[in-house]
Amino acid sequence: MEAAFEEAMVVDFDQFLSACEGLPDENDAHVVAAALKTQAAVIVTDNLRDFPEELLRRLNLEARSADAFIADTIALDTGRAVAAIRRMRERFRRPEKTAEVLLLDMEANGLTETVDVLRPHILSL
């Protein structure tokens, strides 16, 4: 059974743009405004330097890298996350991937914190 996914888009966030003044890249204002509109707590981005901690803290927001966000999410329920990652790894067919190769691939793609969280569970992956 395949799941159907719809693209979700935040609209009508213009009233939050004024709170975004002071961003290093004003083209990122829509990201912060959308986070405020949806009452998000975290912005997941690998462009951390354009989302200053001081500005975000004032808005009750935090910017996290994708790697840190994934690692934190795994740590919330490690057993369930490891099982899900194992199922994902087992679906690789061409080529098949061992748990070690999967972790090496993740690390090569910058997911070092994620690999650090998963490595102790390699026998379950």
Side-chain angles (χ1 to χ4, degrees):
M1 180 168 131
E2 282 190 41
F5 294 96
E6 282 187 40
E7 184 177 317
M9 190 163 27
V10 179
V11 295
D12 298 327
F13 56 80
D14 294 349
Q15 68 269 26
F16 296 98
L17 287 172
S18 63
C20 304
E21 292 178 11
L23 285 173
D25 182 350
E26 63 185 37
N27 292 323
D28 290 326
H30 70 285
V31 175
V32 176
L36 292 171
K37 164 81 181 199
T38 61
Q39 299 178 348
V42 177
I43 294 171
V44 179
T45 179
D46 286 322
N47 188 18
L48 294 171
R49 71 178 182 281
D50 281 351
F51 296 92
E53 186 178 337
E54 183 179 310
L55 183 137
L56 293 182
R57 188 181 319 114
R58 180 169 47 88
L59 301 171
N60 292 320
L61 287 169
E62 176 185 7
R64 304 280 288 159
S65 70
D67 184 27
F69 183 80
I70 295 167
D72 290 347
T73 301
I74 291 168
L76 289 173
D77 191 342
T78 304
R80 203 164 155 189
V82 166
I85 294 167
R86 180 183 58 247
R87 286 190 304 274
M88 176 192 73
R89 182 190 62 77
E90 289 170 345
R91 285 195 294 258
F92 288 118
R93 295 283 182 240
R94 296 175 195 224
E96 291 184 14
K97 289 190 186 219
T98 64
E100 185 60 40
V101 169
L102 178 64
L103 293 183
L104 288 171
D105 287 351
M106 292 171 123
E107 203 165 42
N109 283 290
L111 298 178
T112 56
E113 288 182 54
T114 301
V115 170
D116 287 346
V117 170
L118 289 173
R119 189 159 304 283
H121 307 282
I122 195 162
L123 296 177
S124 298
L125 289 174

